Amino acid sequence: AAKEAGRNRVGWFDPAMARALQARNELEQALRDAIPAGQIIPYFEQQIDLATGQLFGFEVLARWDHPVHGIIPPDRFITIAEQTGMIADLSLAVMRQAFHAARDWDPSLSLSINISPAQLRDAWLPQKIIKLLLETGFPAHRLEIEITEGALFENLPLAQSIVGSLKNQGIRVALDDFGTGHSSLGHLRALPFDRIKIDRSVVKAVASDSDSAAVVSAIAGLGSSLNLPVTAEGVEDIETEGWLRNLGCARGQGYLYGRPMNSANTRRLLAERRLLAPGAPLLDPDHR
Ligand code: C2E
Ligand code: MG
Ligand code: MG
Ligand code: MG
């Protein structure tokens, strides 16, 4: 009991730890308020066809548009949202805004949206997504869901049934961040994926490090034998882009093509490139 009390005392009175705990509680409460307040918004990152240079769509990336701290990146709040059960609401809020923003973009443009492992334990996820698609008028065949490998370990039968329902609606599924952790052929075959995304950590060294080039080449070969096109993420320069193209990656995304942007700037870019749907107003009707 003395030992217990001692341990508690250290835990309770350690000022640094107490401060960290308080900061985290404040962040959690602020996030709880931020979702209904509409502060969690979608940013859009261009995805490019490496053979033609053509824009084919965007990855949707969550941002916290904080009234005091400005734009906060997802690694500061996604984990907290996952640990506290807020991720489902957060994700649906981001999707709703993204579908709404994209409703009058050129019909050739697709959206890729990240899903947390926790969301693959919600048997109602497909219905929730389909409801949003119907509400916003964004077509299912232009939507792709990105799933990380870690998500597959948790409850494979449920994940398989959820992904099956999504695919029956015409939604595509990509395996995200491949090439990190314990990537395996088994994961690729566990779900009916439509695409592999190679993680930035592998992509960034492809021009300078022959091991990275070998890994990219192996993944591209795997993709080609399984008939799964490969997207490279984190393409920052022309040299890397050239390597990726030669090694067999179909698509790329990264700062070479542009930083992720909010919906108003994305719309501006699409207007300049004549990639708004015919008849769509040049300015965002929502003024956002
Ligand atoms: P991810 O899905 O692997 O997304 C790619 C990340 O790499 C994004 O970071 C993107 O901004 C960044 N990136 C893209 N190109 C480059 C580049 O050329 N150089 C560098 N240095 N970075 C690049 P971001 O937006 O900070 O997102 C981080 C992660 O947060 C995402 O990784 C994804 O796992 C997660 N995430 C973002 N939005 C959501 C969401 O709505 N739901 C869930 N569950 N996770 C999300
Ligand atoms: Mg992703
Ligand atoms: Mg990724
Ligand atoms: Mg990644």
Side-chain angles (χ1 to χ4, degrees):
K3 196 178 168 196
E4 186 99 334
R7 207 188 308 145
N8 276 340
R9 197 166 61 226
V10 170
W12 194 247
F13 289 111
D14 176 18
M17 207 172 186
R19 268 197 307 276
L21 200 67
Q22 197 195 344
R24 142 101 210 201
N25 285 340
E26 283 170 10
L27 191 62
E28 182 183 328
Q29 189 50 51
L31 184 59
R32 215 171 273 290
D33 299 335
I35 300 169
Q39 291 173 13
I40 310 298
I41 59 169
Y43 266 41
F44 299 90
E45 179 173 291
Q46 298 177 57
Q47 299 181 314
I48 304 293
D49 184 311
L50 291 179
T52 62
Q54 203 179 335
L55 175 71
F56 70 88
F58 296 88
E59 179 169 359
V60 176
L61 297 161
R63 296 289 182 269
W64 183 348
D65 187 3
H66 193 284
V68 177
H69 303 297
I71 297 294
I72 301 176
D75 47 304
R76 296 274 307 283
F77 60 87
I78 292 287
T79 307
I80 295 180
E82 287 172 342
Q83 290 167 347
T84 54
M86 289 186 260
I87 190 67
D89 284 349
L90 185 153
S91 180
L92 292 173
V94 170
M95 279 190 217
R96 180 181 291 110
Q97 296 170 78
F99 298 159
H100 185 74
R103 74 202 179 283
D104 59 4
W105 295 355
D106 188 90
S108 67
L109 297 170
S110 61
L111 289 179
S112 298
I113 295 197
N114 297 286
I115 288 292
S116 284
Q119 295 176 276
L120 284 183
R121 292 194 300 266
D122 173 9
W124 291 98
L125 180 73
Q127 279 86 341
K128 291 173 182 171
I129 294 179
I130 289 153
K131 184 165 173 279
L132 284 183
L133 291 171
L134 291 173
E135 272 173 30
T136 55
F138 189 77
H141 72 268
R142 286 167 59 191
L143 177 62
E144 182 173 83
I145 297 292
E146 299 191 0
I147 301 173
T148 54
E149 280 181 279
L152 304 183
F153 295 113
E154 303 206 349
N155 184 342
L156 187 56
L158 184 53
Q160 282 169 329
S161 126
I162 290 173
V163 167
S165 312
L166 293 170
K167 291 210 56 160
N168 282 339
Q169 298 291 326
I171 297 169
R172 279 163 291 123
V173 181
L175 182 56
D176 200 1
D177 294 344
F178 199 69
T180 58
H182 305 284
S183 303
S184 85
L185 199 56
H187 300 152
L188 270 175
R189 298 180 53 193
L191 288 176
F193 289 109
D194 299 288
R195 164 172 305 281
I196 305 173
K197 294 191 70 177
I198 308 182
D199 193 63
R200 171 160 57 93
S201 59
V202 183
V203 169
K204 70 178 181 197
V206 79
S208 58
D209 165 33
S210 58
D211 285 349
S212 293
V215 171
V216 170
S217 165
I219 297 176
L222 196 58
S224 121
S225 32
L226 295 173
N227 211 0
L228 296 176
V230 170
T231 297
E233 66 174 32
V235 185
E236 293 190 349
D237 52 70
I238 296 269
E239 198 189 353
T240 300
E241 182 193 60
W243 275 86
L244 294 167
R245 192 187 294 114
N246 292 337
L247 290 172
C249 294
R251 292 172 173 185
Q253 58 182 93
Y255 296 168
L256 173 62
Y257 313 107
R259 298 274 170 154
M261 330 176 253
N262 66 22
S263 61
N265 287 332
T266 304
R267 193 184 178 83
R268 223 160 274 144
L269 174 107
L270 294 176
E272 280 167 17
R273 298 196 192 167
R274 307 267 182 275
L275 280 172
L276 291 178
L282 286 184
L283 287 174
D284 187 343
D286 299 332
H287 303 288
R288 295 175 60 202

